[in-house]
Amino acid sequence: MSHSTDAPDNTVRPLTAGRPPELLPLGGGAHLRRRRVADAAGLNAAVLANLDHLRPWMPWAAQAPTLPESEQLSVRGEQVWDEGTDFMYLLGLDAEPALVIGGFGLHGRIGPGALEIGYWVHREHTGRGLATAAARALTEAALALPGITRAEIHCDESNAASAAVPRKLGYTLDRIDAATPTAPAETGRKMIWVTGA
């Protein structure tokens, strides 16, 4: 857990007293839904099918996850939602409710008053505007939460597809920070996109 959610006495402090909607319709036959333990097998299958697509940008994709690891991740995802520190979602299609075609989250790792949006989309579903639609819905959900005044999207400068999302949504490029690369395609220049107060 990040330092922004751990109190000195090791008790978890919620980032916000509110919770975002568990289901966010995106239009076009797609939706975001709260990630549940029951989704672990679908999440695992989606990640395994996309490892080559994810490895350049996602440090957690360096190793293929086992089903028990995906189950543990899903259990933790439910805990952090209930704690109010992170809100994990899966991207799905209305016509195939059990199918997982991406992972999204509102993460409390950037300090008080703000949530960072993270995302990935299944390689067979990129280029359809799904990441932009989902990030738009998450931006609105984040800024509607009590105590949250800012949303951010962080991505490596060389990740043009990820950077296109905040640009399309009207985020401002606040700065480019030096960062130690954590995935093979990263340059070490992290773009920090911001919207809100």
Short mmCIF file of all heavy atoms in Angstrom, two decimals, residues 21-76:
data_model
loop_
_atom_site.label_atom_id
_atom_site.label_comp_id
_atom_site.label_asym_id
_atom_site.label_seq_id
_atom_site.Cartn_x
_atom_site.Cartn_y
_atom_site.Cartn_z
N PRO A 21 -19.59 5.02 -8.14
CA PRO A 21 -20.55 3.99 -8.56
C PRO A 21 -19.82 2.68 -8.88
O PRO A 21 -18.72 2.69 -9.41
CB PRO A 21 -21.19 4.58 -9.81
CG PRO A 21 -20.95 6.06 -9.71
CD PRO A 21 -19.64 6.22 -8.99
N GLU A 22 -20.47 1.57 -8.56
CA GLU A 22 -19.88 0.26 -8.87
C GLU A 22 -20.03 -0.10 -10.33
O GLU A 22 -19.30 -0.95 -10.84
CB GLU A 22 -20.51 -0.81 -7.98
CG GLU A 22 -20.15 -0.60 -6.52
CD GLU A 22 -20.54 -1.76 -5.62
OE1 GLU A 22 -20.90 -2.84 -6.14
OE2 GLU A 22 -20.47 -1.59 -4.39
N LEU A 23 -20.95 0.53 -11.03
CA LEU A 23 -21.15 0.30 -12.47
C LEU A 23 -21.18 1.65 -13.17
O LEU A 23 -21.94 2.54 -12.77
CB LEU A 23 -22.46 -0.45 -12.72
CG LEU A 23 -22.79 -0.73 -14.18
CD1 LEU A 23 -21.77 -1.70 -14.80
CD2 LEU A 23 -24.20 -1.30 -14.31
N LEU A 24 -20.35 1.78 -14.19
CA LEU A 24 -20.29 3.01 -14.98
C LEU A 24 -20.55 2.66 -16.44
O LEU A 24 -19.65 2.15 -17.12
CB LEU A 24 -18.93 3.68 -14.83
CG LEU A 24 -18.57 4.21 -13.44
CD1 LEU A 24 -17.10 4.59 -13.37
CD2 LEU A 24 -19.45 5.41 -13.10
N PRO A 25 -21.76 2.89 -16.95
CA PRO A 25 -22.02 2.64 -18.36
C PRO A 25 -21.22 3.63 -19.22
O PRO A 25 -21.15 4.82 -18.89
CB PRO A 25 -23.53 2.91 -18.50
CG PRO A 25 -24.07 2.89 -17.11
CD PRO A 25 -22.95 3.33 -16.22
N LEU A 26 -20.63 3.14 -20.28
CA LEU A 26 -19.78 3.98 -21.13
C LEU A 26 -20.43 4.30 -22.47
O LEU A 26 -19.88 5.09 -23.24
CB LEU A 26 -18.43 3.29 -21.38
CG LEU A 26 -17.64 2.91 -20.13
CD1 LEU A 26 -16.35 2.21 -20.53
CD2 LEU A 26 -17.36 4.13 -19.27
N GLY A 27 -21.57 3.66 -22.77
CA GLY A 27 -22.15 3.81 -24.10
C GLY A 27 -21.42 2.90 -25.07
O GLY A 27 -20.36 2.33 -24.76
N GLY A 28 -21.97 2.74 -26.25
CA GLY A 28 -21.33 1.90 -27.25
C GLY A 28 -21.23 0.44 -26.87
O GLY A 28 -20.38 -0.28 -27.39
N GLY A 29 -22.06 0.00 -25.92
CA GLY A 29 -22.06 -1.40 -25.54
C GLY A 29 -20.97 -1.80 -24.56
O GLY A 29 -20.69 -2.98 -24.38
N ALA A 30 -20.34 -0.82 -23.89
CA ALA A 30 -19.27 -1.11 -22.94
C ALA A 30 -19.57 -0.50 -21.58
O ALA A 30 -20.40 0.40 -21.46
CB ALA A 30 -17.93 -0.59 -23.46
N HIS A 31 -18.90 -1.01 -20.56
CA HIS A 31 -19.10 -0.52 -19.21
C HIS A 31 -17.85 -0.77 -18.36
O HIS A 31 -17.01 -1.60 -18.72
CB HIS A 31 -20.30 -1.21 -18.54
CG HIS A 31 -20.09 -2.70 -18.41
ND1 HIS A 31 -20.52 -3.58 -19.37
CD2 HIS A 31 -19.48 -3.45 -17.45
CE1 HIS A 31 -20.19 -4.82 -19.00
NE2 HIS A 31 -19.54 -4.75 -17.85
N LEU A 32 -17.75 -0.05 -17.27
CA LEU A 32 -16.81 -0.36 -16.21
C LEU A 32 -17.62 -0.91 -15.05
O LEU A 32 -18.69 -0.38 -14.73
CB LEU A 32 -16.06 0.89 -15.73
CG LEU A 32 -15.01 1.48 -16.65
CD1 LEU A 32 -14.49 2.79 -16.07
CD2 LEU A 32 -13.86 0.51 -16.89
N ARG A 33 -17.09 -1.98 -14.41
CA ARG A 33 -17.76 -2.52 -13.24
C ARG A 33 -16.72 -2.75 -12.15
O ARG A 33 -15.54 -3.01 -12.43
CB ARG A 33 -18.47 -3.84 -13.57
CG ARG A 33 -17.55 -4.99 -13.96
CD ARG A 33 -18.34 -6.25 -14.30
NE ARG A 33 -17.50 -7.38 -14.57
CZ ARG A 33 -16.97 -7.68 -15.76
NH1 ARG A 33 -17.21 -6.90 -16.79
NH2 ARG A 33 -16.21 -8.75 -15.90
N ARG A 34 -17.18 -2.61 -10.93
CA ARG A 34 -16.28 -2.85 -9.79
C ARG A 34 -15.68 -4.24 -9.90
O ARG A 34 -16.39 -5.22 -10.17
CB ARG A 34 -17.06 -2.71 -8.48
CG ARG A 34 -16.21 -2.98 -7.26
CD ARG A 34 -17.00 -2.86 -5.98
NE ARG A 34 -16.18 -3.28 -4.85
CZ ARG A 34 -16.59 -3.28 -3.60
NH1 ARG A 34 -17.81 -2.86 -3.30
NH2 ARG A 34 -15.79 -3.67 -2.63
N ARG A 35 -14.36 -4.34 -9.72
CA ARG A 35 -13.70 -5.64 -9.76
C ARG A 35 -14.02 -6.41 -8.49
O ARG A 35 -13.87 -5.90 -7.38
CB ARG A 35 -12.19 -5.45 -9.90
CG ARG A 35 -11.48 -6.76 -10.19
CD ARG A 35 -10.01 -6.56 -10.40
NE ARG A 35 -9.35 -6.33 -9.13
CZ ARG A 35 -8.13 -5.79 -9.01
NH1 ARG A 35 -7.48 -5.40 -10.07
NH2 ARG A 35 -7.60 -5.61 -7.82
N ARG A 36 -14.47 -7.63 -8.67
CA ARG A 36 -14.84 -8.51 -7.56
C ARG A 36 -14.00 -9.78 -7.60
O ARG A 36 -13.41 -10.12 -8.62
CB ARG A 36 -16.32 -8.90 -7.67
CG ARG A 36 -17.29 -7.74 -7.53
CD ARG A 36 -17.39 -7.30 -6.11
NE ARG A 36 -18.52 -6.41 -5.87
CZ ARG A 36 -18.88 -6.03 -4.68
NH1 ARG A 36 -18.22 -6.45 -3.61
NH2 ARG A 36 -19.88 -5.20 -4.52
N VAL A 37 -13.98 -10.50 -6.50
CA VAL A 37 -13.24 -11.76 -6.43
C VAL A 37 -13.75 -12.73 -7.50
O VAL A 37 -12.96 -13.46 -8.11
CB VAL A 37 -13.33 -12.37 -5.02
CG1 VAL A 37 -12.70 -13.75 -4.99
CG2 VAL A 37 -12.66 -11.45 -4.01
N ALA A 38 -15.05 -12.71 -7.77
CA ALA A 38 -15.62 -13.60 -8.78
C ALA A 38 -15.08 -13.33 -10.18
O ALA A 38 -15.20 -14.18 -11.07
CB ALA A 38 -17.14 -13.46 -8.79
N ASP A 39 -14.43 -12.18 -10.39
CA ASP A 39 -13.86 -11.83 -11.69
C ASP A 39 -12.42 -12.30 -11.87
O ASP A 39 -11.81 -12.05 -12.90
CB ASP A 39 -13.89 -10.30 -11.88
CG ASP A 39 -15.30 -9.74 -11.94
OD1 ASP A 39 -16.09 -10.25 -12.75
OD2 ASP A 39 -15.59 -8.79 -11.18
N ALA A 40 -11.86 -12.96 -10.86
CA ALA A 40 -10.44 -13.30 -10.89
C ALA A 40 -10.06 -14.14 -12.11
O ALA A 40 -9.04 -13.88 -12.76
CB ALA A 40 -10.03 -14.01 -9.61
N ALA A 41 -10.87 -15.15 -12.46
CA ALA A 41 -10.53 -16.01 -13.60
C ALA A 41 -10.57 -15.22 -14.90
O ALA A 41 -9.69 -15.37 -15.76
CB ALA A 41 -11.48 -17.20 -13.66
N GLY A 42 -11.57 -14.36 -15.08
CA GLY A 42 -11.66 -13.54 -16.28
C GLY A 42 -10.52 -12.55 -16.38
O GLY A 42 -9.97 -12.33 -17.46
N LEU A 43 -10.15 -11.96 -15.25
CA LEU A 43 -9.02 -11.03 -15.22
C LEU A 43 -7.73 -11.76 -15.57
O LEU A 43 -6.94 -11.29 -16.39
CB LEU A 43 -8.91 -10.38 -13.84
CG LEU A 43 -7.71 -9.48 -13.61
CD1 LEU A 43 -7.69 -8.31 -14.58
CD2 LEU A 43 -7.68 -8.99 -12.16
N ASN A 44 -7.54 -12.93 -14.97
CA ASN A 44 -6.34 -13.72 -15.23
C ASN A 44 -6.23 -14.07 -16.71
O ASN A 44 -5.17 -13.92 -17.33
CB ASN A 44 -6.34 -14.97 -14.36
CG ASN A 44 -5.09 -15.79 -14.54
OD1 ASN A 44 -5.06 -16.75 -15.31
ND2 ASN A 44 -4.04 -15.41 -13.83
N ALA A 45 -7.33 -14.52 -17.31
CA ALA A 45 -7.32 -14.89 -18.73
C ALA A 45 -7.00 -13.69 -19.60
O ALA A 45 -6.24 -13.79 -20.57
CB ALA A 45 -8.68 -15.49 -19.12
N ALA A 46 -7.56 -12.52 -19.26
CA ALA A 46 -7.31 -11.31 -20.06
C ALA A 46 -5.85 -10.88 -19.97
O ALA A 46 -5.24 -10.53 -20.98
CB ALA A 46 -8.23 -10.18 -19.59
N VAL A 47 -5.29 -10.94 -18.77
CA VAL A 47 -3.89 -10.56 -18.62
C VAL A 47 -2.98 -11.53 -19.37
O VAL A 47 -2.07 -11.12 -20.09
CB VAL A 47 -3.50 -10.46 -17.13
CG1 VAL A 47 -1.99 -10.31 -16.96
CG2 VAL A 47 -4.22 -9.28 -16.47
N LEU A 48 -3.24 -12.84 -19.23
CA LEU A 48 -2.42 -13.83 -19.92
C LEU A 48 -2.48 -13.64 -21.44
O LEU A 48 -1.47 -13.79 -22.13
CB LEU A 48 -2.85 -15.24 -19.54
CG LEU A 48 -2.56 -15.66 -18.10
CD1 LEU A 48 -3.11 -17.05 -17.83
CD2 LEU A 48 -1.07 -15.59 -17.79
N ALA A 49 -3.66 -13.30 -21.96
CA ALA A 49 -3.82 -13.10 -23.41
C ALA A 49 -3.15 -11.84 -23.90
O ALA A 49 -2.95 -11.67 -25.10
CB ALA A 49 -5.31 -13.07 -23.76
N ASN A 50 -2.77 -10.95 -22.97
CA ASN A 50 -2.24 -9.64 -23.35
C ASN A 50 -0.83 -9.38 -22.82
O ASN A 50 -0.38 -8.23 -22.86
CB ASN A 50 -3.18 -8.54 -22.85
CG ASN A 50 -4.40 -8.41 -23.72
OD1 ASN A 50 -4.38 -7.72 -24.72
ND2 ASN A 50 -5.47 -9.11 -23.36
N LEU A 51 -0.14 -10.39 -22.35
CA LEU A 51 1.17 -10.15 -21.74
C LEU A 51 2.12 -9.41 -22.68
O LEU A 51 2.79 -8.47 -22.27
CB LEU A 51 1.78 -11.46 -21.25
CG LEU A 51 1.27 -11.96 -19.91
CD1 LEU A 51 1.89 -13.31 -19.59
CD2 LEU A 51 1.55 -10.96 -18.80
N ASP A 52 2.19 -9.83 -23.94
CA ASP A 52 3.10 -9.17 -24.88
C ASP A 52 2.71 -7.71 -25.11
O ASP A 52 3.56 -6.85 -25.33
CB ASP A 52 3.15 -9.92 -26.21
CG ASP A 52 3.85 -11.26 -26.09
OD1 ASP A 52 4.60 -11.46 -25.10
OD2 ASP A 52 3.66 -12.11 -26.97
N HIS A 53 1.42 -7.43 -25.06
CA HIS A 53 0.88 -6.09 -25.23
C HIS A 53 1.16 -5.22 -23.99
O HIS A 53 1.40 -4.01 -24.10
CB HIS A 53 -0.63 -6.22 -25.49
CG HIS A 53 -1.42 -4.97 -25.54
ND1 HIS A 53 -1.21 -3.99 -26.49
CD2 HIS A 53 -2.44 -4.53 -24.76
CE1 HIS A 53 -2.08 -3.00 -26.29
NE2 HIS A 53 -2.83 -3.31 -25.25
N LEU A 54 1.15 -5.83 -22.81
CA LEU A 54 1.29 -5.10 -21.56
C LEU A 54 2.73 -4.96 -21.08
O LEU A 54 3.08 -3.97 -20.44
CB LEU A 54 0.47 -5.80 -20.47
CG LEU A 54 -1.04 -5.84 -20.69
CD1 LEU A 54 -1.71 -6.76 -19.68
CD2 LEU A 54 -1.63 -4.44 -20.61
N ARG A 55 3.58 -5.93 -21.37
CA ARG A 55 4.95 -5.96 -20.83
C ARG A 55 5.75 -4.69 -21.08
O ARG A 55 6.50 -4.27 -20.21
CB ARG A 55 5.70 -7.17 -21.36
CG ARG A 55 5.46 -8.40 -20.55
CD ARG A 55 6.42 -9.53 -20.91
NE ARG A 55 6.09 -10.70 -20.12
CZ ARG A 55 5.75 -11.88 -20.63
NH1 ARG A 55 5.74 -12.06 -21.93
NH2 ARG A 55 5.45 -12.87 -19.84
N PRO A 56 5.65 -4.07 -22.27
CA PRO A 56 6.47 -2.87 -22.48
C PRO A 56 6.18 -1.74 -21.49
O PRO A 56 7.06 -0.92 -21.22
CB PRO A 56 6.11 -2.44 -23.91
CG PRO A 56 5.63 -3.70 -24.57
CD PRO A 56 4.94 -4.47 -23.49
N TRP A 57 4.96 -1.69 -20.95
CA TRP A 57 4.53 -0.53 -20.15
C TRP A 57 4.19 -0.84 -18.70
O TRP A 57 4.15 0.06 -17.88
CB TRP A 57 3.30 0.12 -20.80
CG TRP A 57 3.52 0.40 -22.24
CD1 TRP A 57 2.93 -0.22 -23.31
CD2 TRP A 57 4.41 1.35 -22.80
NE1 TRP A 57 3.41 0.30 -24.48
CE2 TRP A 57 4.32 1.27 -24.19
CE3 TRP A 57 5.30 2.28 -22.23
CZ2 TRP A 57 5.06 2.07 -25.05
CZ3 TRP A 57 6.04 3.08 -23.09
CH2 TRP A 57 5.92 2.97 -24.47
N MET A 58 3.87 -2.09 -18.39
CA MET A 58 3.37 -2.44 -17.06
C MET A 58 4.37 -3.34 -16.33
O MET A 58 4.57 -4.49 -16.72
CB MET A 58 2.03 -3.18 -17.16
CG MET A 58 0.95 -2.44 -17.92
SD MET A 58 0.42 -1.00 -16.97
CE MET A 58 -0.96 -0.45 -17.97
N PRO A 59 4.99 -2.84 -15.27
CA PRO A 59 5.98 -3.67 -14.57
C PRO A 59 5.38 -4.97 -14.02
O PRO A 59 6.06 -5.99 -13.98
CB PRO A 59 6.48 -2.77 -13.43
CG PRO A 59 5.60 -1.58 -13.41
CD PRO A 59 4.86 -1.51 -14.70
N TRP A 60 4.11 -4.96 -13.66
CA TRP A 60 3.48 -6.15 -13.10
C TRP A 60 3.25 -7.23 -14.16
O TRP A 60 2.95 -8.37 -13.82
CB TRP A 60 2.17 -5.82 -12.40
CG TRP A 60 1.20 -5.00 -13.19
CD1 TRP A 60 1.01 -3.64 -13.10
CD2 TRP A 60 0.28 -5.46 -14.19
NE1 TRP A 60 0.03 -3.24 -13.99
CE2 TRP A 60 -0.44 -4.34 -14.66
CE3 TRP A 60 -0.02 -6.71 -14.73
CZ2 TRP A 60 -1.42 -4.43 -15.65
CZ3 TRP A 60 -1.00 -6.80 -15.70
CH2 TRP A 60 -1.68 -5.68 -16.16
N ALA A 61 3.43 -6.89 -15.44
CA ALA A 61 3.23 -7.87 -16.51
C ALA A 61 4.52 -8.61 -16.88
O ALA A 61 4.54 -9.39 -17.82
CB ALA A 61 2.64 -7.19 -17.75
N ALA A 62 5.57 -8.38 -16.13
CA ALA A 62 6.85 -9.06 -16.42
C ALA A 62 6.73 -10.57 -16.27
O ALA A 62 7.38 -11.32 -16.98
CB ALA A 62 7.95 -8.52 -15.51
N GLN A 63 5.88 -11.01 -15.35
CA GLN A 63 5.66 -12.43 -15.11
C GLN A 63 4.19 -12.75 -15.32
O GLN A 63 3.32 -11.96 -14.94
CB GLN A 63 6.02 -12.78 -13.66
CG GLN A 63 7.44 -12.45 -13.27
CD GLN A 63 8.38 -13.61 -13.51
OE1 GLN A 63 7.95 -14.74 -13.65
NE2 GLN A 63 9.66 -13.33 -13.57
N ALA A 64 3.93 -13.91 -15.90
CA ALA A 64 2.53 -14.34 -16.09
C ALA A 64 1.93 -14.66 -14.72
O ALA A 64 2.48 -15.45 -13.97
CB ALA A 64 2.49 -15.57 -16.98
N PRO A 65 0.78 -14.04 -14.39
CA PRO A 65 0.17 -14.32 -13.09
C PRO A 65 -0.52 -15.68 -13.08
O PRO A 65 -1.10 -16.10 -14.07
CB PRO A 65 -0.86 -13.19 -12.95
CG PRO A 65 -1.24 -12.86 -14.35
CD PRO A 65 0.01 -13.06 -15.17
N THR A 66 -0.45 -16.35 -11.95
CA THR A 66 -1.20 -17.59 -11.76
C THR A 66 -2.63 -17.22 -11.37
O THR A 66 -2.89 -16.08 -10.94
CB THR A 66 -0.58 -18.45 -10.66
OG1 THR A 66 -0.69 -17.74 -9.42
CG2 THR A 66 0.88 -18.77 -10.97
N LEU A 67 -3.54 -18.16 -11.48
CA LEU A 67 -4.91 -17.90 -11.05
C LEU A 67 -4.96 -17.56 -9.56
O LEU A 67 -5.64 -16.59 -9.18
CB LEU A 67 -5.83 -19.07 -11.39
CG LEU A 67 -7.30 -18.89 -11.01
CD1 LEU A 67 -7.89 -17.62 -11.59
CD2 LEU A 67 -8.11 -20.11 -11.43
N PRO A 68 -4.24 -18.27 -8.68
CA PRO A 68 -4.26 -17.88 -7.26
C PRO A 68 -3.75 -16.45 -7.04
O PRO A 68 -4.25 -15.74 -6.17
CB PRO A 68 -3.35 -18.91 -6.58
CG PRO A 68 -3.47 -20.13 -7.46
CD PRO A 68 -3.57 -19.58 -8.86
N GLU A 69 -2.76 -16.02 -7.83
CA GLU A 69 -2.28 -14.64 -7.70
C GLU A 69 -3.36 -13.65 -8.13
O GLU A 69 -3.55 -12.61 -7.48
CB GLU A 69 -1.01 -14.44 -8.54
CG GLU A 69 0.20 -15.12 -7.95
CD GLU A 69 1.40 -15.15 -8.88
OE1 GLU A 69 1.23 -15.03 -10.11
OE2 GLU A 69 2.52 -15.30 -8.37
N SER A 70 -4.08 -13.96 -9.20
CA SER A 70 -5.17 -13.08 -9.62
C SER A 70 -6.30 -13.07 -8.60
O SER A 70 -6.93 -12.03 -8.38
CB SER A 70 -5.70 -13.52 -10.99
OG SER A 70 -4.71 -13.31 -11.99
N GLU A 71 -6.55 -14.21 -7.96
CA GLU A 71 -7.55 -14.26 -6.90
C GLU A 71 -7.13 -13.40 -5.72
O GLU A 71 -7.94 -12.63 -5.17
CB GLU A 71 -7.79 -15.71 -6.47
CG GLU A 71 -8.53 -16.52 -7.51
CD GLU A 71 -8.53 -18.02 -7.23
OE1 GLU A 71 -7.75 -18.48 -6.36
OE2 GLU A 71 -9.31 -18.74 -7.90
N GLN A 72 -5.87 -13.48 -5.34
CA GLN A 72 -5.36 -12.68 -4.23
C GLN A 72 -5.44 -11.19 -4.57
O GLN A 72 -5.82 -10.36 -3.73
CB GLN A 72 -3.92 -13.09 -3.92
CG GLN A 72 -3.33 -12.37 -2.72
CD GLN A 72 -1.90 -12.82 -2.45
OE1 GLN A 72 -1.19 -13.27 -3.35
NE2 GLN A 72 -1.48 -12.69 -1.20
N LEU A 73 -5.10 -10.84 -5.80
CA LEU A 73 -5.20 -9.46 -6.26
C LEU A 73 -6.64 -8.96 -6.19
O LEU A 73 -6.91 -7.82 -5.76
CB LEU A 73 -4.67 -9.36 -7.69
CG LEU A 73 -4.54 -7.97 -8.29
CD1 LEU A 73 -3.44 -7.19 -7.61
CD2 LEU A 73 -4.27 -8.07 -9.78
N SER A 74 -7.57 -9.81 -6.55
CA SER A 74 -8.99 -9.44 -6.52
C SER A 74 -9.49 -9.28 -5.09
O SER A 74 -10.29 -8.38 -4.80
CB SER A 74 -9.82 -10.46 -7.28
OG SER A 74 -9.47 -10.44 -8.66
N VAL A 75 -9.03 -10.14 -4.18
CA VAL A 75 -9.39 -10.00 -2.77
C VAL A 75 -8.89 -8.66 -2.26
O VAL A 75 -9.62 -7.90 -1.59
CB VAL A 75 -8.82 -11.17 -1.93
CG1 VAL A 75 -8.91 -10.86 -0.43
CG2 VAL A 75 -9.55 -12.47 -2.25
N ARG A 76 -7.65 -8.34 -2.56
CA ARG A 76 -7.07 -7.07 -2.12
C ARG A 76 -7.83 -5.89 -2.75
O ARG A 76 -8.05 -4.86 -2.10
CB ARG A 76 -5.58 -7.01 -2.46
CG ARG A 76 -4.90 -5.77 -1.91
CD ARG A 76 -4.88 -5.78 -0.39
NE ARG A 76 -4.42 -4.49 0.10
CZ ARG A 76 -5.00 -3.80 1.09
NH1 ARG A 76 -6.05 -4.29 1.71
NH2 ARG A 76 -4.53 -2.65 1.45
#
